[in-house]
PDB file of all heavy atoms in Angstrom:
ATOM      1  N   ILE A 450      11.566 188.685 -16.193  1.00  0.00           N
ATOM      2  CA  ILE A 450      10.624 187.598 -16.461  1.00  0.00           C
ATOM      3  C   ILE A 450       9.913 187.263 -15.165  1.00  0.00           C
ATOM      4  O   ILE A 450      10.521 187.193 -14.091  1.00  0.00           O
ATOM      5  CB  ILE A 450      11.336 186.350 -17.029  1.00  0.00           C
ATOM      6  CG1 ILE A 450      10.306 185.246 -17.315  1.00  0.00           C
ATOM      7  CG2 ILE A 450      12.448 185.862 -16.110  1.00  0.00           C
ATOM      8  CD1 ILE A 450      10.880 184.061 -18.069  1.00  0.00           C
ATOM      9  N   ASN A 451       8.598 187.116 -15.254  1.00  0.00           N
ATOM     10  CA  ASN A 451       7.783 186.743 -14.104  1.00  0.00           C
ATOM     11  C   ASN A 451       7.662 185.227 -14.090  1.00  0.00           C
ATOM     12  O   ASN A 451       6.982 184.641 -14.929  1.00  0.00           O
ATOM     13  CB  ASN A 451       6.407 187.402 -14.184  1.00  0.00           C
ATOM     14  CG  ASN A 451       5.620 187.239 -12.906  1.00  0.00           C
ATOM     15  OD1 ASN A 451       5.593 186.175 -12.302  1.00  0.00           O
ATOM     16  ND2 ASN A 451       4.973 188.318 -12.473  1.00  0.00           N
ATOM     17  N   CYS A 452       8.311 184.589 -13.156  1.00  0.00           N
ATOM     18  CA  CYS A 452       8.350 183.128 -13.119  1.00  0.00           C
ATOM     19  C   CYS A 452       6.979 182.527 -12.836  1.00  0.00           C
ATOM     20  O   CYS A 452       6.730 181.362 -13.160  1.00  0.00           O
ATOM     21  CB  CYS A 452       9.336 182.657 -12.061  1.00  0.00           C
ATOM     22  SG  CYS A 452      11.033 183.237 -12.338  1.00  0.00           S
ATOM     23  N   ALA A 453       6.091 183.297 -12.234  1.00  0.00           N
ATOM     24  CA  ALA A 453       4.749 182.783 -11.939  1.00  0.00           C
ATOM     25  C   ALA A 453       3.817 182.930 -13.121  1.00  0.00           C
ATOM     26  O   ALA A 453       2.791 182.249 -13.197  1.00  0.00           O
ATOM     27  CB  ALA A 453       4.169 183.512 -10.721  1.00  0.00           C
ATOM     28  N   ALA A 454       4.149 183.813 -14.067  1.00  0.00           N
ATOM     29  CA  ALA A 454       3.245 184.098 -15.190  1.00  0.00           C
ATOM     30  C   ALA A 454       3.459 183.171 -16.372  1.00  0.00           C
ATOM     31  O   ALA A 454       2.605 183.089 -17.250  1.00  0.00           O
ATOM     32  CB  ALA A 454       3.413 185.554 -15.626  1.00  0.00           C
ATOM     33  N   VAL A 455       4.608 182.482 -16.420  1.00  0.00           N
ATOM     34  CA  VAL A 455       4.913 181.612 -17.557  1.00  0.00           C
ATOM     35  C   VAL A 455       4.539 180.178 -17.199  1.00  0.00           C
ATOM     36  O   VAL A 455       4.915 179.685 -16.125  1.00  0.00           O
ATOM     37  CB  VAL A 455       6.412 181.691 -17.914  1.00  0.00           C
ATOM     38  CG1 VAL A 455       6.722 180.810 -19.122  1.00  0.00           C
ATOM     39  CG2 VAL A 455       6.819 183.136 -18.188  1.00  0.00           C
ATOM     40  N   PRO A 456       3.784 179.475 -18.071  1.00  0.00           N
ATOM     41  CA  PRO A 456       3.448 178.068 -17.795  1.00  0.00           C
ATOM     42  C   PRO A 456       4.702 177.233 -17.573  1.00  0.00           C
ATOM     43  O   PRO A 456       5.748 177.478 -18.179  1.00  0.00           O
ATOM     44  CB  PRO A 456       2.694 177.626 -19.063  1.00  0.00           C
ATOM     45  CG  PRO A 456       2.162 178.894 -19.645  1.00  0.00           C
ATOM     46  CD  PRO A 456       3.166 179.952 -19.315  1.00  0.00           C
ATOM     47  N   GLU A 457       4.559 176.240 -16.704  1.00  0.00           N
ATOM     48  CA  GLU A 457       5.720 175.432 -16.313  1.00  0.00           C
ATOM     49  C   GLU A 457       6.398 174.781 -17.506  1.00  0.00           C
ATOM     50  O   GLU A 457       7.622 174.726 -17.581  1.00  0.00           O
ATOM     51  CB  GLU A 457       5.282 174.357 -15.315  1.00  0.00           C
ATOM     52  CG  GLU A 457       6.427 173.493 -14.801  1.00  0.00           C
ATOM     53  CD  GLU A 457       5.968 172.496 -13.752  1.00  0.00           C
ATOM     54  OE1 GLU A 457       4.837 172.640 -13.240  1.00  0.00           O
ATOM     55  OE2 GLU A 457       6.742 171.582 -13.442  1.00  0.00           O
ATOM     56  N   LEU A 460       8.576 177.467 -19.326  1.00  0.00           N
ATOM     57  CA  LEU A 460       9.504 178.300 -18.569  1.00  0.00           C
ATOM     58  C   LEU A 460      10.954 178.055 -18.976  1.00  0.00           C
ATOM     59  O   LEU A 460      11.742 179.003 -19.112  1.00  0.00           O
ATOM     60  CB  LEU A 460       9.318 178.052 -17.069  1.00  0.00           C
ATOM     61  CG  LEU A 460      10.143 178.940 -16.134  1.00  0.00           C
ATOM     62  CD1 LEU A 460       9.867 180.414 -16.405  1.00  0.00           C
ATOM     63  CD2 LEU A 460       9.848 178.589 -14.680  1.00  0.00           C
ATOM     64  N   LEU A 464      13.481 180.899 -20.448  1.00  0.00           N
ATOM     65  CA  LEU A 464      14.709 181.292 -19.760  1.00  0.00           C
ATOM     66  C   LEU A 464      15.961 181.029 -20.589  1.00  0.00           C
ATOM     67  O   LEU A 464      16.853 181.873 -20.673  1.00  0.00           O
ATOM     68  CB  LEU A 464      14.820 180.554 -18.421  1.00  0.00           C
ATOM     69  CG  LEU A 464      13.891 181.023 -17.294  1.00  0.00           C
ATOM     70  CD1 LEU A 464      13.998 180.081 -16.112  1.00  0.00           C
ATOM     71  CD2 LEU A 464      14.228 182.443 -16.877  1.00  0.00           C
ATOM     72  N   PHE A 493      16.187 189.968 -14.257  1.00  0.00           N
ATOM     73  CA  PHE A 493      15.364 190.110 -13.055  1.00  0.00           C
ATOM     74  C   PHE A 493      14.353 188.965 -13.039  1.00  0.00           C
ATOM     75  O   PHE A 493      13.447 188.902 -13.868  1.00  0.00           O
ATOM     76  CB  PHE A 493      14.647 191.461 -13.055  1.00  0.00           C
ATOM     77  CG  PHE A 493      13.711 191.651 -11.893  1.00  0.00           C
ATOM     78  CD1 PHE A 493      14.144 191.453 -10.591  1.00  0.00           C
ATOM     79  CD2 PHE A 493      12.402 192.051 -12.104  1.00  0.00           C
ATOM     80  CE1 PHE A 493      13.289 191.630  -9.523  1.00  0.00           C
ATOM     81  CE2 PHE A 493      11.530 192.236 -11.036  1.00  0.00           C
ATOM     82  CZ  PHE A 493      11.976 192.016  -9.740  1.00  0.00           C
ATOM     83  N   LEU A 494      14.532 188.049 -12.083  1.00  0.00           N
ATOM     84  CA  LEU A 494      13.645 186.895 -11.949  1.00  0.00           C
ATOM     85  C   LEU A 494      12.605 187.218 -10.876  1.00  0.00           C
ATOM     86  O   LEU A 494      12.840 187.016  -9.676  1.00  0.00           O
ATOM     87  CB  LEU A 494      14.464 185.648 -11.572  1.00  0.00           C
ATOM     88  CG  LEU A 494      15.600 185.271 -12.523  1.00  0.00           C
ATOM     89  CD1 LEU A 494      16.377 184.085 -11.979  1.00  0.00           C
ATOM     90  CD2 LEU A 494      15.062 184.945 -13.912  1.00  0.00           C
ATOM     91  N   ASP A 495      11.465 187.726 -11.323  1.00  0.00           N
ATOM     92  CA  ASP A 495      10.413 188.094 -10.392  1.00  0.00           C
ATOM     93  C   ASP A 495       9.607 186.853 -10.004  1.00  0.00           C
ATOM     94  O   ASP A 495       9.487 185.902 -10.795  1.00  0.00           O
ATOM     95  CB  ASP A 495       9.494 189.140 -11.044  1.00  0.00           C
ATOM     96  CG  ASP A 495       8.655 189.874 -10.012  1.00  0.00           C
ATOM     97  OD1 ASP A 495       8.917 189.712  -8.803  1.00  0.00           O
ATOM     98  OD2 ASP A 495       7.763 190.632 -10.424  1.00  0.00           O
ATOM     99  N   GLU A 496       9.053 186.875  -8.799  1.00  0.00           N
ATOM    100  CA  GLU A 496       8.261 185.759  -8.269  1.00  0.00           C
ATOM    101  C   GLU A 496       9.064 184.457  -8.314  1.00  0.00           C
ATOM    102  O   GLU A 496       8.576 183.411  -8.738  1.00  0.00           O
ATOM    103  CB  GLU A 496       6.942 185.604  -9.048  1.00  0.00           C
ATOM    104  CG  GLU A 496       6.092 186.857  -9.112  1.00  0.00           C
ATOM    105  CD  GLU A 496       5.570 187.306  -7.741  1.00  0.00           C
ATOM    106  OE1 GLU A 496       5.705 186.543  -6.776  1.00  0.00           O
ATOM    107  OE2 GLU A 496       5.049 188.428  -7.655  1.00  0.00           O
ATOM    108  N   ILE A 497      10.319 184.513  -7.886  1.00  0.00           N
ATOM    109  CA  ILE A 497      11.189 183.329  -7.915  1.00  0.00           C
ATOM    110  C   ILE A 497      10.639 182.211  -7.037  1.00  0.00           C
ATOM    111  O   ILE A 497      10.888 181.026  -7.281  1.00  0.00           O
ATOM    112  CB  ILE A 497      12.618 183.725  -7.470  1.00  0.00           C
ATOM    113  CG1 ILE A 497      13.613 182.574  -7.738  1.00  0.00           C
ATOM    114  CG2 ILE A 497      12.645 184.121  -6.001  1.00  0.00           C
ATOM    115  CD1 ILE A 497      13.908 182.361  -9.169  1.00  0.00           C
ATOM    116  N   GLY A 498       9.860 182.572  -6.013  1.00  0.00           N
ATOM    117  CA  GLY A 498       9.298 181.558  -5.125  1.00  0.00           C
ATOM    118  C   GLY A 498       8.271 180.685  -5.801  1.00  0.00           C
ATOM    119  O   GLY A 498       7.930 179.617  -5.281  1.00  0.00           O
ATOM    120  N   ASP A 499       7.746 181.098  -6.946  1.00  0.00           N
ATOM    121  CA  ASP A 499       6.748 180.298  -7.677  1.00  0.00           C
ATOM    122  C   ASP A 499       7.383 179.438  -8.765  1.00  0.00           C
ATOM    123  O   ASP A 499       6.667 178.805  -9.536  1.00  0.00           O
ATOM    124  CB  ASP A 499       5.706 181.232  -8.305  1.00  0.00           C
ATOM    125  CG  ASP A 499       4.886 181.944  -7.258  1.00  0.00           C
ATOM    126  OD1 ASP A 499       3.987 181.309  -6.690  1.00  0.00           O
ATOM    127  OD2 ASP A 499       5.178 183.127  -6.995  1.00  0.00           O
ATOM    128  N   MET A 500       8.703 179.406  -8.824  1.00  0.00           N
ATOM    129  CA  MET A 500       9.374 178.586  -9.835  1.00  0.00           C
ATOM    130  C   MET A 500       9.285 177.107  -9.449  1.00  0.00           C
ATOM    131  O   MET A 500       9.540 176.748  -8.296  1.00  0.00           O
ATOM    132  CB  MET A 500      10.840 178.993  -9.967  1.00  0.00           C
ATOM    133  CG  MET A 500      11.629 178.161 -10.973  1.00  0.00           C
ATOM    134  SD  MET A 500      13.335 178.721 -11.154  1.00  0.00           S
ATOM    135  CE  MET A 500      13.088 180.205 -12.133  1.00  0.00           C
ATOM    136  N   PRO A 501       8.923 176.209 -10.395  1.00  0.00           N
ATOM    137  CA  PRO A 501       8.845 174.779 -10.096  1.00  0.00           C
ATOM    138  C   PRO A 501      10.194 174.238  -9.617  1.00  0.00           C
ATOM    139  O   PRO A 501      11.250 174.734 -10.006  1.00  0.00           O
ATOM    140  CB  PRO A 501       8.441 174.149 -11.437  1.00  0.00           C
ATOM    141  CG  PRO A 501       7.821 175.259 -12.208  1.00  0.00           C
ATOM    142  CD  PRO A 501       8.504 176.507 -11.783  1.00  0.00           C
ATOM    143  N   ALA A 535      13.394 188.179  -6.973  1.00  0.00           N
ATOM    144  CA  ALA A 535      12.448 188.806  -6.049  1.00  0.00           C
ATOM    145  C   ALA A 535      11.301 187.857  -5.771  1.00  0.00           C
ATOM    146  O   ALA A 535      10.926 187.040  -6.614  1.00  0.00           O
ATOM    147  CB  ALA A 535      11.917 190.117  -6.617  1.00  0.00           C
ATOM    148  N   THR A 536      10.738 187.965  -4.571  1.00  0.00           N
ATOM    149  CA  THR A 536       9.578 187.146  -4.224  1.00  0.00           C
ATOM    150  C   THR A 536       8.847 187.784  -3.060  1.00  0.00           C
ATOM    151  O   THR A 536       9.432 188.522  -2.249  1.00  0.00           O
ATOM    152  CB  THR A 536       9.988 185.709  -3.861  1.00  0.00           C
ATOM    153  OG1 THR A 536       8.803 184.942  -3.598  1.00  0.00           O
ATOM    154  CG2 THR A 536      10.878 185.679  -2.631  1.00  0.00           C
ATOM    155  N   ASN A 537       7.541 187.500  -2.962  1.00  0.00           N
ATOM    156  CA  ASN A 537       6.744 187.938  -1.815  1.00  0.00           C
ATOM    157  C   ASN A 537       6.450 186.781  -0.878  1.00  0.00           C
ATOM    158  O   ASN A 537       5.673 186.916   0.057  1.00  0.00           O
ATOM    159  CB  ASN A 537       5.434 188.581  -2.289  1.00  0.00           C
ATOM    160  CG  ASN A 537       4.587 187.604  -3.105  1.00  0.00           C
ATOM    161  OD1 ASN A 537       4.951 186.448  -3.294  1.00  0.00           O
ATOM    162  ND2 ASN A 537       3.449 188.087  -3.587  1.00  0.00           N
ATOM    163  N   ARG A 538       7.082 185.643  -1.133  1.00  0.00           N
ATOM    164  CA  ARG A 538       6.830 184.452  -0.347  1.00  0.00           C
ATOM    165  C   ARG A 538       7.938 184.236   0.677  1.00  0.00           C
ATOM    166  O   ARG A 538       9.058 184.741   0.539  1.00  0.00           O
ATOM    167  CB  ARG A 538       6.693 183.239  -1.259  1.00  0.00           C
ATOM    168  CG  ARG A 538       5.614 183.410  -2.336  1.00  0.00           C
ATOM    169  CD  ARG A 538       5.385 182.148  -3.117  1.00  0.00           C
ATOM    170  NE  ARG A 538       4.836 181.086  -2.280  1.00  0.00           N
ATOM    171  CZ  ARG A 538       4.523 179.867  -2.726  1.00  0.00           C
ATOM    172  NH1 ARG A 538       4.691 179.575  -4.012  1.00  0.00           N
ATOM    173  NH2 ARG A 538       4.041 178.947  -1.920  1.00  0.00           N
TER     174      ARG A 538
END
Side-chain angles (χ1 to χ4, degrees):
I450 181 171
N451 190 317
C452 300
V455 181
E457 182 176 347
L460 185 56
L464 286 173
F493 176 52
L494 303 176
D495 198 10
E496 305 295 350
I497 191 71
D499 294 283
M500 178 177 285
T536 183
N537 60 2
R538 304 187 65 179

